[in-house]
């Protein structure tokens, strides 16, 4: 932050985002609560709603930290970690469970062990992809991204094929799982999801200064004495953990990360990751909590929040491309 004016603007903006986050969180807890404020019944209902707020916070942190870090190491503001096929793999797992086990397959993938299995599969696929395509003299991020897109497209085609083979009742049950929604999360997942977030997110936040250097490009990073390939692979490993946790927890949210990262860079007006990460997290939480609060209490359409977030994120993506004029 080069000037005091920029610093003042950042802290004012951050304060506004914190206030909005607290207002929406309080609104989700107390608004339309049928019990008197402060009564035992009020707190019981508020406690039940607190689970959704915790889920939003975890998802916002995962998406924000992962997307900002991914855009830094790829040196491209238009990319999101979803390009690596996480969501396509999630769709294949969910669709395959219904395809082979019937409607009972949905319940098969709703326990803590199944959640851990989905996260492990996604991380293993990412690590194999990174290790294969970023090793050797010819390894580079562009080829890795291209292969990731191809794998994601192939997995999506497999999921679509299996969906066409399902009965209408099975497809109807499956559809609810294929859209990102806070209702997909289970509080029993949190003892595993939160530690993974703390470890992976904590490492990336602690590496903010290294990421600032990585953002300068490969040649500059190497000239400053940092092992560029190692740092990129370690960063992508932790990004894959965060994206796997978010996707396995609530389902696909393709454009949420891009929307949050774009807002964070515009609001923070800095390239320093120490200031971008907090702004990105707050932007993600405000987007999720604000969307759910408005759609639930104003339009009574809580189930379409994920679709609306994806639509807004997609429109923002198109505007960003048209404004830049290039990828």
């Amino acid at each position: 932050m080069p000037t005091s004016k920029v610093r003042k603007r950042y802290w004012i903006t951050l304060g506004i985002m914190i206030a909005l986050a607290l207002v929406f969180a309080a609104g989700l807890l107390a608004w339309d609560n049928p019990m008197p404020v402060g009564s035992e019944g009020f707190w019981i209902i508020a406690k039940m709603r607190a689970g959704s707020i915790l889920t939003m916070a975890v998802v916002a942190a995962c998406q924000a930290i992962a997307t900002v870090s991914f855009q830094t190491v790829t040196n491209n503001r238009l990319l999101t970690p979803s390009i690596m096929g996480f969501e396509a793999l999630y769709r294949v797992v969910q669709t395959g469970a219904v395809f082979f086990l019937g409607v009972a397959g949905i319940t098969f993938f709703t326990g803590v062990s199944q959640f851990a299995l989905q996260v492990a599969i996604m991380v293993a696929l990412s690590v194999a992809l990174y290790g294969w395509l970023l090793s050797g003299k010819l390894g580079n991020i562009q080829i890795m991204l291209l292969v990731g897109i191809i794998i994601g497209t192939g997995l999506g085609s497999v999921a679509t094929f299996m969906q066409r083979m399902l009965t209408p009742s099975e497809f109807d049950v499956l559809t609810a799982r294929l859209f990102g929604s806070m209702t997909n999360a289970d509080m029993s997942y949190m003892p595993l999801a939160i530690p993974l977030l703390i470890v992976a997110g904590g490492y990336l936040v602690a590496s903010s200064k290294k990421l600032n250097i990585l953002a300068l490009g490969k040649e500059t990073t190497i000239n400053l004495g940092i092992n560029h390939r190692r740092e990129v692979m370690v960063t992508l490993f932790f990004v894959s953990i965060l994206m796997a946790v978010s996707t396995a927890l609530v389902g696909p949210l393709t454009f949420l990360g891009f929307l949050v990262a774009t807002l964070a860079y515009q609001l923070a007006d800095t390239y320093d990751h120490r200031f971008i990460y907090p702004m990105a997290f707050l932007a993600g939480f405000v987007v999720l909590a604000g969307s759910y609060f408005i759609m639930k209490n104003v339009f009574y359409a809580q189930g379409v929040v994920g679709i609306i977030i994806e639509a807004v994120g997609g429109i923002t993506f198109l505007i960003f491309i048209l404004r830049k004029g290039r990828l």
Side-chain angles (χ1 to χ4, degrees):
M1 294 187 180
T3 64
S4 59
K5 182 179 179 180
V6 174
R7 288 193 295 270
K8 183 179 179 180
R9 178 177 177 270
Y10 173 84
W11 291 113
I12 291 175
T13 304
L14 188 70
I16 294 173
M17 296 299 290
I18 292 174
L20 287 174
L22 293 176
V23 167
F24 285 128
L28 289 172
L29 288 176
W31 191 272
D32 202 25
N33 191 322
M35 304 301 292
V37 177
S39 65
E40 183 178 354
F42 174 88
W43 292 114
I44 292 175
I45 295 175
K47 184 178 179 181
M48 295 172 61
R49 295 179 177 182
S52 297
I53 296 176
L54 177 61
T55 301
M56 293 177 194
V58 171
V59 171
C62 288
Q63 291 279 345
I65 297 174
T67 304
V68 171
S69 302
F70 188 79
Q71 290 180 347
T72 297
V73 297
T74 58
N75 197 23
N76 193 319
R77 293 275 191 89
L78 295 176
L79 297 179
T80 69
S82 301
I83 201 173
M84 304 308 298
F86 291 104
E87 293 164 0
L89 181 59
Y90 173 86
R91 291 189 177 97
V92 168
V93 170
Q94 296 294 327
T95 305
V98 177
F99 182 80
F100 291 107
L101 302 176
V103 177
I106 291 292
T107 59
F108 179 78
F109 275 94
T110 55
V112 177
S113 58
Q114 287 78 3
F115 172 77
L117 178 62
Q118 290 186 75
V119 173
I121 292 174
M122 294 178 190
V123 174
L125 175 64
S126 301
V127 171
L129 191 63
Y130 302 154
W132 172 39
L133 296 175
L134 292 180
S135 61
K137 295 182 179 180
L138 300 179
N140 62 73
I141 291 178
Q142 286 72 29
I143 294 178
M144 181 198 73
L145 296 174
L146 180 60
V147 173
I149 294 173
I150 295 172
I151 291 176
T153 303
L155 291 175
S157 299
V158 171
T160 301
F161 172 76
M162 288 191 292
Q163 289 170 18
R164 292 183 178 275
M165 302 292 289
L166 299 177
T167 65
S169 59
E170 291 174 338
F171 182 77
D172 185 54
V173 173
L174 174 65
T175 301
R177 301 285 299 182
L178 296 182
F179 290 100
S181 175
M182 299 302 118
T183 58
N184 290 338
D186 191 321
M187 286 301 100
S188 62
Y189 300 163
M190 292 304 171
L192 178 60
I194 292 178
L196 288 174
L197 169 60
I198 292 174
V199 172
Y203 176 86
L204 293 175
V205 172
S207 302
S208 294
K209 292 183 179 180
K210 287 185 179 180
L211 289 171
N212 291 341
I213 298 175
L214 288 175
L216 299 176
K218 182 177 180 179
E219 290 76 14
T220 303
T221 303
I222 294 174
N223 289 335
L224 292 174
I226 295 178
N227 189 328
H228 180 267
R229 180 172 296 172
R230 176 185 176 278
E231 293 301 327
V232 168
M233 292 186 68
V234 172
T235 300
L236 290 176
F237 170 70
F238 286 112
V239 166
S240 68
I241 293 177
L242 294 175
M243 288 303 299
V245 169
S246 174
T247 305
L249 191 62
V250 300
L253 290 170
T254 306
F255 288 107
L256 176 63
F258 171 80
L259 178 62
V260 167
T262 302
L263 289 174
Y265 280 111
Q266 295 297 320
L267 295 174
D269 194 24
T270 179
Y271 293 92
D272 194 332
H273 289 73
R274 293 175 298 175
F275 301 104
I276 295 173
Y277 281 138
M279 190 68 75
F281 164 69
L282 288 171
F285 184 81
V286 168
V287 167
L288 287 173
S291 299
Y292 270 85
F293 178 79
I294 293 172
M295 296 306 298
K296 178 182 177 181
N297 298 292
V298 177
F299 297 101
Y300 304 100
Q302 182 178 356
V304 302
V305 171
I307 300 174
I308 292 176
I309 291 176
E310 294 295 275
V312 174
I315 293 172
T316 305
F317 179 78
L318 292 176
I319 293 173
F320 199 83
I321 291 179
L322 293 175
R323 191 181 70 178
K324 291 290 184 180
R326 61 183 177 84
L327 290 175

